[in-house]
Amino acid sequence: MSNHYHYDVVIIGAGAAGLTLALNLPKRYRVAILSKGDLKQGSTYRAQGGMAAVIDSEDSIDSHVADTLNAGAGLCRAEAVEFTVSHSGDAVTWLIDQGVKFTRVGEEDTSSPDYHLTREGGHSHRRILHAADATGRVIAKALIKQVKKAKNVTIFTSHIAVDLIKKRGHCQGAYVYDRKTDQVDVFSAPAVVLATGGASKAYLYTSNSDGASGDGIAMAWRAGCRVANMEFNQFHPTCLYHPHARTYLITEAVRGEGGLLLLPNGERFMDRFDKRAELAPRDIVARAIDYEMKRLGADCLYLDISHKSTDFLASHFPTVMKRCEKYGIDISRDPIPIVPAAHYTCGGVVVDTQGRSDIPGLYAIGETSCTGLHGANRMASNSLLECIVYARSAARHIDKHFNDFPKPKSAKDWDASRVTDSDEDVVISHNWDELRRFMWDYVGIVRTNKRLQRARNRIRLLQTEIDEYYSNYKVSNDLLELRNLAVVAELMINSAMNRKESRGLHYTLDYPNTHPVPQDTVLTPSTV
Ligand SMILES: Cc1cc2nc3c(=O)[nH]c(=O)nc-3n(C[C@H](O)[C@H](O)[C@H](O)COP(=O)(O)OP(=O)(O)OC[C@H]3O[C@@H](n4cnc5c(N)ncnc54)[C@H](O)[C@@H]3O)c2cc1C
């Protein structure tokens, strides 16, 4: 028997987007917020660099808009960009009101009377607010503290949404697997919000945590929502390669300070790809590393900063140094083994500026959504901003229209009568590994028609196996994630196959040119 919970709003996901939405709803709403693991699990907690916002008097909305459009390679939705950027100041004020302590200006910097602003790739002004090099953690901690104080919000950790509940065309809740009781419960609400983060776990190497399996995108797709631009996955060029390091990024500042990229034989190679060599933009460096790894069949390449003094390294890169030491790498002597890593999902559930999806009562915010802000390539530090701005506008919309939403009647219990305990979990672990490996090899940074076709053949076989397994055995965290990864992987493959050009983050050797007329890849469930 399932437990039945009734709320006004159910928010699936407790990162920057989900927490912000919960805190922006008026206190009269009874809100449930779900998280797969503990509250630190998502990408928000890992964000280092900062959040872009127009707060410097020298900067302007027009300039931030122009930079974002430029990074997005012709595919940004102008309305979404203007909406996001013009609300960036309010978003910052709101975060500060919640207790977020952004780094203040030091004596040596006069660009702002108050907050220290950095500059990152693609931005033509200093406009990145940050909290030292742990911005996401500082934001998350402040928001978690506020949510824990809010009497109208109940937090459910270790609760994994399985599928959405739809009645007469409206979303009215979700089936949710409780890891502690090992059973699936029913959460009913007139408004449901997907804030489940990205899908970068579809790739073998990723900077994201384990939960980034695209659950919200897969659930929305199964429920009938359109999904757009899934071919645009951003890769970070340098993630530490070590069997136990899992997902540790080596900051791009190492290259900025003279770090050299090397082949396994010690040869430099970046100048063959771009005259800026190691200082070329992120996507060019990632592509060059990928090309060389595939050409040589190498497991990793190297980033060498050992020519700098130990004192310099200790003062500039204390965290990198410490982390590498943990794995037996002395960066003052040894080159650092690196691979590129899947970092950010630009595509997602199609929404408008209020975060509304195609299904009434269902909203999607944060990395799960495709608002049109990022187009074909995300500009650094625009993603946290998008989380805050869209969460706030979705909260306003829910409040304004709440009385129009049909109130859910009791939903059916989850039917577990026909499933048994699995006696061969190896199917799950094998398929996890296989999927992430072929996505990396065939749908990665550099694509070809042949590679994509190979990936499509494999994903279809896996889909059949996973569906069969899902209908026969009890759900578990790994099975649910695998099922969702298979859906998002297929969406990525199909989107990549539909795009007969290279644009932004999608690069294919078969169509190296960019089409003069930019077009989104929008997939609709019934048409696939
Ligand atoms: C290493 C790293 C550095 C980054 N640096 C920056 C930066 O400097 N600036 C910037 O703007 N962006 C940065 N980003 C990107 C940015 O952090 C993310 O895009 C953003 O934090 C996403 O927030 P979110 O709320 O959408 O999702 P997340 O923070 O990923 O949260 C997702 C939540 O959903 C929950 N969830 C997922 N599936 C389910 C399910 N089925 N049921 C229940 N709960 C579920 C998870 O448990 C989690 O609570 C970085 C990302 C990474 C990985």
Side-chain angles (χ1 to χ4, degrees):
M1 281 266 291
S2 299
N3 289 316
H4 286 251
Y5 299 93
H6 297 270
Y7 284 89
D8 294 323
V9 183
V10 169
I11 302 170
I12 306 172
L19 294 166
T20 300
L21 192 134
L23 291 168
N24 276 276
L25 287 166
K27 299 283 175 260
R28 64 177 176 281
Y29 292 106
R30 291 174 51 259
V31 180
I33 182 158
L34 316 178
S35 135
K36 265 188 187 182
D38 64 23
L39 294 175
K40 299 178 186 166
Q41 188 217 27
S43 287
T44 299
Y45 223 81
R46 296 175 167 231
Q48 300 163 356
M51 186 176 107
V54 178
I55 58 165
D56 183 37
S57 56
E58 301 281 296
D59 196 3
S60 69
I61 304 267
D62 286 350
S63 164
H64 190 171
V65 166
D67 292 343
T68 304
L69 292 173
N70 190 28
L75 268 194
C76 299
R77 201 158 63 85
E79 186 198 4
V81 179
E82 273 153 31
F83 178 79
T84 311
V85 173
S86 59
H87 286 85
S88 63
D90 301 345
V92 171
T93 308
W94 181 79
L95 283 173
I96 292 167
D97 288 348
Q98 304 310 304
V100 175
K101 297 211 179 334
F102 290 113
T103 298
R104 287 188 178 265
V105 91
E107 279 170 350
E108 73 289 356
D109 191 329
T110 52
S111 68
S112 159
D114 267 321
Y115 290 102
H116 182 258
L117 301 172
T118 57
R119 189 167 165 178
E120 287 184 340
H123 292 273
S124 56
H125 279 273
R126 283 184 168 267
R127 61 167 77 100
I128 318 298
L129 279 141
H130 62 105
D133 62 354
T135 312
R137 190 166 72 216
V138 170
I139 292 178
K141 276 185 166 175
L143 300 185
I144 290 168
K145 196 169 162 196
Q146 296 297 338
V147 163
K148 283 186 171 165
K149 278 200 273 181
K151 293 209 168 53
N152 63 322
V153 182
T154 311
I155 302 168
F156 292 86
T157 54
S158 299
H159 279 68
I160 306 163
V162 178
D163 263 319
L164 298 166
I165 298 171
K166 232 171 89 178
K167 285 215 178 126
R168 279 179 238 97
H170 284 255
C171 185
Q172 299 209 326
Y175 287 107
V176 177
Y177 172 62
D178 180 344
R179 286 171 95 158
K180 290 179 194 138
T181 61
D182 196 25
Q183 75 168 29
V184 177
D185 295 328
V186 178
F187 279 69
S188 300
V192 177
V193 182
L194 296 169
T196 48
S200 287
K201 201 73 194 175
Y203 289 96
L204 184 59
Y205 301 113
T206 172
S207 64
N208 288 201
S209 56
D210 281 350
S213 44
D215 295 5
I217 300 170
M219 282 188 276
W221 176 257
R222 284 193 292 266
C225 292
R226 285 170 305 151
V227 167
N229 292 349
M230 288 297 288
E231 67 275 39
F232 300 116
N233 213 99
Q234 192 168 61
F235 289 80
H236 193 286
T238 53
C239 195
L240 178 60
Y241 177 75
H242 187 279
H244 303 304
R246 288 165 65 99
T247 77
Y248 182 69
L249 284 191
I250 306 291
T251 165
E252 292 184 71
V254 172
R255 281 184 284 121
E257 293 297 341
L260 302 176
L261 285 164
L262 304 178
L263 299 178
N265 67 3
E267 188 194 326
R268 273 182 81 188
F269 60 94
M270 266 315 299
D271 49 1
R272 282 195 265 117
F273 294 86
D274 193 286
K275 61 178 184 319
R276 290 162 288 185
E278 278 80 2
L279 298 180
R282 197 183 262 197
D283 48 333
I284 294 177
V285 178
R287 211 174 287 153
I289 296 174
D290 181 75
Y291 177 87
E292 289 297 338
M293 282 177 64
K294 287 212 170 78
R295 184 175 73 82
L296 299 168
D299 288 335
C300 67
L301 299 188
Y302 295 88
L303 178 59
D304 189 8
I305 186 95
S306 62
H307 48 280
K308 294 279 183 185
S309 73
T310 308
D311 286 350
F312 176 90
L313 295 174
S315 67
H316 281 70
F317 304 114
T319 322
V320 175
M321 210 168 176
K322 219 158 131 196
R323 183 62 80 104
C324 287
E325 252 167 40
K326 195 173 149 196
Y327 300 112
I329 304 157
D330 174 356
I331 69 168
S332 68
R333 258 191 10 219
D334 312 320
I336 309 166
I338 50 95
V339 282
H343 189 52
Y344 186 83
T345 311
C346 291
V349 182
V350 175
V351 293
D352 65 9
T353 45
Q354 270 79 41
R356 279 187 299 175
S357 74
D358 291 337
I359 301 178
L362 181 67
Y363 296 74
I365 52 172
E367 198 170 330
T368 305
S369 65
C370 182
T371 62
L373 172 69
H374 306 301
N377 195 357
R378 172 189 76 124
M379 190 166 69
S381 290
N382 265 352
S383 33
L384 283 172
L385 175 64
E386 183 187 45
C387 288
I388 311 298
V389 169
Y390 277 79
R392 281 160 57 78
S393 71
R396 281 193 295 272
H397 192 271
I398 291 171
D399 181 32
K400 197 161 163 210
H401 296 275
F402 191 75
N403 291 331
D404 306 336
F405 297 145
K407 305 295 167 272
K409 306 245 163 54
S410 56
K412 276 197 249 158
D413 272 7
W414 178 257
D415 181 6
S417 61
R418 278 165 298 170
V419 294
T420 57
D421 285 320
S422 159
D423 55 0
E424 44 177 21
D425 277 353
V426 66
V427 174
I428 300 181
S429 53
H430 175 91
N431 286 346
W432 250 93
D433 292 345
E434 187 179 336
L435 182 148
R436 297 178 65 219
R437 164 60 76 181
F438 75 67
M439 285 299 287
W440 181 259
D441 287 340
Y442 300 148
V443 198
I445 300 166
V446 178
R447 297 160 181 175
T448 65
N449 287 344
K450 265 195 197 154
R451 288 179 191 165
L452 292 174
Q453 190 55 54
R454 282 188 194 120
R456 185 182 267 177
N457 296 343
R458 277 164 176 78
I459 197 69
R460 286 188 174 157
L461 280 176
L462 276 193
Q463 287 278 15
T464 316
E465 242 177 56
I466 293 166
D467 286 350
E468 193 198 324
Y469 196 90
Y470 184 77
S471 3
N472 289 321
Y473 297 111
K474 276 172 75 175
V475 297
S476 65
N477 179 51
D478 289 354
L479 174 56
L480 291 172
E481 287 188 344
L482 175 65
R483 177 178 177 241
N484 291 330
L485 277 178
V487 172
V488 289
E490 188 170 23
L491 293 170
M492 287 171 179
I493 297 165
N494 288 339
S495 304
M497 290 186 96
N498 282 358
R499 188 165 291 283
K500 309 276 188 246
E501 61 164 353
S502 290
R503 179 186 297 277
L505 298 164
H506 173 74
Y507 183 75
T508 161
L509 297 176
D510 289 308
Y511 308 101
N513 299 323
T514 303
H515 200 273
V517 186
Q519 258 189 333
D520 289 317
T521 308
V522 183
L523 302 180
T524 308
S526 55
T527 62
V528 173

